[in-house]
Amino acid sequence: MKKLIAVDVDGTLVNSEGVITARTREALIAASKAGHEVMIVSGRPTYGLREQAKALAFDEFGGILSSYNGGQLYDFKADTILVNHPMDFDLAKEILEFSKSLDLILMVPHGEVIFTDDAENFYSSRESGMLKMEVRGVRDIRDSLDFAPNKLLFAQDPDKLDAPCANIREKFGDRTEQVKSARFYYEVMPMGLSKGSSIIEACKIFGIDIKDTIVFGDEMNDMSMFEVAGTGVAMGNAVEPVKNVADFVTKTNNEDGIAYYLEKFVLNKENK
């Protein structure tokens, strides 16, 4: 039976050094060769996932990128956007106007570029290095934005992030999806979108029953995948709430947890 195999990136697909290990890579490519649909699911921009897609041979065997926490589905081999859910432009401008008074760094990914109001900040440099994307500083980006973004990313030191983001949640929580994706990141997205919603959309596109989905994740922004998937696999390093709702807890991302599960239950290989 054909499966949709969806994997989160940080803490799941890559190890603590940000690398896809050989064993994990081989297991996912073997799954693609066996006819299963492999999908990378992330809050990262589409362009920022191309390195992982190439490592998993998506350009040869096919594969789907779900980016922006469900905001876009992209067929890597066909170089085609299958689904796109940008934020309402007027709503985005309203949020940006409101955020001017808050002590938050703004980053807006679009295409191959991350626009920010502070290109010299640590977090902007971190995003650029991790995603291999150009960071372009635009001091008045909150006034000059001229496109509908897939998401707005706010950053700040962990001990300073929660208070200003609570203001955004109180003001716009009924019109947007919001998630704290890291101790220092807060993401604002169009209403109704999540990693879980992208799983449902991908199943409809590829004619796969939702019960035939296997998802791998480790953090709270992966919970929506576990809520809809046929089988939810928590990494050994996952936070406790994710482990609590999972159907199976595999090994950690540093112990090839994805490969361990696939070899045992999908590829019928002996586990090491």
Side-chain angles (χ1 to χ4, degrees), residues 59-107:
D59 49 350
E60 183 177 356
F61 302 111
I64 305 303
L65 303 180
S66 169
S67 53
Y68 300 110
N69 283 314
Q72 193 172 96
L73 285 179
Y74 176 76
D75 185 323
F76 191 81
K77 185 176 181 180
D79 189 21
T80 302
I81 295 175
L82 303 175
V83 177
N84 191 43
H85 299 290
M87 183 179 292
D88 177 80
F89 180 71
D90 291 335
L91 175 58
K93 293 289 286 184
E94 186 180 348
I95 296 170
L96 293 182
E97 178 65 28
F98 180 80
S99 69
K100 285 181 181 179
S101 63
L102 304 176
D103 184 20
L104 293 169
I105 299 151
L106 170 69
M107 288 179 275

Side-chain angles (χ1 to χ4, degrees), residues 98 101-104 154 156-171 178 180 183 186:
F98 180 80
S101 63
L102 304 176
D103 184 20
L104 293 169
F154 295 98
Q156 187 49 275
D157 296 343
D159 59 345
K160 298 179 181 179
L161 181 69
D162 290 347
C165 290
N167 291 327
I168 296 176
R169 184 169 58 253
E170 181 178 356
K171 178 73 173 178
Q178 302 182 24
K180 186 178 181 180
R183 294 184 307 115
Y186 194 77

